[in-house]
């Protein structure tokens, strides 16, 4: 397909493999100011693409990145798969799926867009793909984000995905429940004892809960699904709130102002820095 432009390594898709983490054979290309469309990328020679080494994690980079994966169906029957990008804080994600030289699927989503724009309503980005029997396929992923550029790619059998997702959701909500109990217990202690350190601890636990639930994608899915900008602002506020609240709690609980002026000032500076 497209001569020498496609990676020599192709991920084999078979019915027996119900989950595949795509970590090998991924190439990337940084988009310039002029921009590309996917059909222009087809014409780029192989030297324009560079292999991704290890996980797709480029840190905080402002530029648009394209990723390309060659996929080969090793089955005599068509195979349906879910493509999962399991990092939900990507602003803009575009998917282009080719069978041979024909574009068979394309999607555009991201956490900067309303939740309803997602092809499958889930906290992670999910895209339904159909692999034709014995055919070569190419997947292009375009990502633009102001946060961390992490693009963990997975292919799932739909049934297996829902089994694993149910387990993960149960574990996550058990953790959230523990945090809620901790916050409620310490808030009760504040009303009984009137020690202000319990308030700062409750704020810390609540900030941790909101931060983790936002990173996991649940806040956007269930609470702010129609307000992507508000969701972005929430994340920007709740992370520093976590730092400030734990610093204030430490200062109050250890009574640093009385016992160590040096550490009291140090935590105060760290909290407002």
């Amino acid at each position: 397909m497209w001569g020498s432009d496609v990676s020599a390594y192709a991920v084999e898709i078979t019915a027996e493999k119900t989950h595949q983490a795509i970590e090998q054979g991924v190439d990337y290309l940084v988009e310039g100011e002029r921009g590309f469309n996917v059909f222009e990328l087809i014409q780029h020679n192989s030297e324009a693409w560079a292999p991704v080494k290890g996980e797709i994690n480029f840190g905080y980079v402002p530029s648009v990145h394209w990723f390309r994966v060659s996929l080969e169906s090793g089955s005599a029957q068509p195979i349906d798969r879910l493509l999962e990008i399991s990092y939900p804080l990507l602003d803009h994600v575009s998917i282009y799926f080719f069978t041979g030289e024909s574009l068979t699927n394309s999607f555009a989503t991201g956490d900067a867009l309303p939740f309803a724009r997602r092809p499958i309503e889930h906290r992670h980005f999910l895209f339904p793909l159909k692999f034709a029997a014995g055919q070569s396929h190419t997947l292009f992923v375009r990502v633009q984000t102001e946060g961390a550029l992490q693009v963990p790619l997975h292919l799932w059998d739909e049934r297996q995905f829902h089994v694993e997702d149910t387990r993960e959701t149960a574990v996550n909500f058990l953790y959230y429940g523990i945090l809620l109990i901790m916050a409620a217990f310490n808030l009760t202690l504040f009303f009984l004892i009137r020690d202000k350190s319990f308030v700062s601890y409750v704020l810390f636990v609540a900030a941790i809960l909101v931060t983790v639930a936002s990173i996991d994608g649940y806040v956007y899915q269930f609470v702010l699904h129609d307000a992507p900008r508000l969701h972005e602002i929430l994340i920007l506020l709740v992370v520093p709130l976590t730092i400030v609240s734990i610093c204030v709690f430490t200062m109050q609980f250890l009574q640093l102002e009385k016992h160590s002026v040096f550490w009291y000032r140090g935590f105060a500076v760290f909290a407002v820095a």
Side-chain angles (χ1 to χ4, degrees):
M1 180 181 174
W2 306 318
S4 62
D5 289 347
V6 174
S7 170
Y9 182 91
V11 178
E12 185 181 17
I13 309 300
T14 63
E16 291 75 23
K17 297 176 181 178
T18 57
H19 172 227
Q20 294 175 261
I22 302 177
E23 298 177 344
Q24 291 183 302
V26 182
D27 299 324
Y28 77 95
L29 179 68
V30 180
E31 184 175 287
E33 293 183 2
R34 186 181 65 85
F36 299 122
N37 64 55
V38 69
F39 297 101
E40 290 178 310
L41 290 180
I42 294 171
Q43 306 303 322
H44 268 66
N45 57 37
S46 57
E47 288 77 17
W49 294 86
V52 175
K53 298 178 181 179
E55 297 180 350
I56 307 177
N57 187 344
F58 287 64
Y60 289 84
V61 291
S63 51
V64 177
H65 281 63
W66 287 83
F67 301 94
R68 181 184 66 178
V69 187
S70 298
L71 305 135
E72 192 79 28
S73 174
S75 173
Q77 301 294 328
I79 301 176
D80 292 322
R81 286 290 180 263
L82 290 179
L83 172 67
E84 177 194 24
I85 299 178
S86 56
Y87 182 66
L89 301 183
L90 299 172
D91 294 343
H92 298 278
V93 178
S94 298
I95 300 293
Y96 303 91
F97 184 64
F98 285 82
T99 300
E101 298 186 11
S102 300
L103 178 64
T104 51
N105 290 98
S106 64
F107 308 95
T109 185
D111 82 336
L113 301 174
F115 192 80
R117 290 281 300 272
R118 302 191 180 195
I120 297 176
E121 294 190 357
H122 189 269
R123 61 192 180 93
H124 291 166
F125 302 113
L126 296 179
F127 310 95
L129 301 178
K130 182 179 287 291
F131 291 86
Q135 293 291 314
S136 298
H137 305 266
T138 306
L139 174 69
F140 290 91
V141 181
R142 181 185 185 273
V143 178
Q144 180 179 10
T145 189
E146 294 181 359
L149 185 64
Q150 302 178 43
V151 192
L153 298 171
H154 300 265
L155 283 172
W156 289 91
D157 170 75
E158 185 173 359
R159 176 184 173 85
Q160 185 64 29
F161 171 80
H162 288 299
V163 169
E164 296 298 328
D165 184 59
T166 300
R167 292 173 181 168
E168 184 177 351
T169 299
V171 172
N172 287 339
F173 275 84
L174 176 62
Y175 175 60
Y176 303 154
I178 292 172
L179 290 178
L180 283 173
I181 292 171
M182 291 171 59
F185 177 72
N186 282 274
L187 187 60
T188 302
L189 289 179
F190 165 72
F191 287 120
L192 294 175
I193 303 174
R194 297 296 176 177
D195 185 337
K196 291 187 294 184
S197 65
F198 287 109
V199 175
S200 55
Y201 185 74
V202 169
L203 287 176
F204 168 67
V205 173
I208 286 289
L209 172 60
V210 175
T211 299
V212 175
S214 296
I215 293 174
D216 289 340
Y218 293 110
V219 171
Y220 188 50
Q221 180 180 7
F222 295 118
V223 182
L224 300 175
H225 47 270
D226 291 325
R229 180 57 181 168
L230 184 57
H231 179 247
E232 180 182 355
I233 294 172
L234 175 66
I235 294 175
L236 293 175
L237 293 177
V238 76
V239 173
L241 176 61
T242 305
I243 298 172
V244 170
S245 58
I246 191 58
C247 287
V248 172
F249 168 72
T250 303
M251 293 159 61
Q252 293 175 337
F253 184 74
L254 299 179
Q255 299 181 4
L256 293 181
E257 188 175 12
K258 180 191 301 184
H259 299 297
S260 175
V261 174
F262 173 79
W263 285 110
Y264 177 82
R265 291 175 177 173
F267 274 97
V269 170
F270 185 73
V272 300

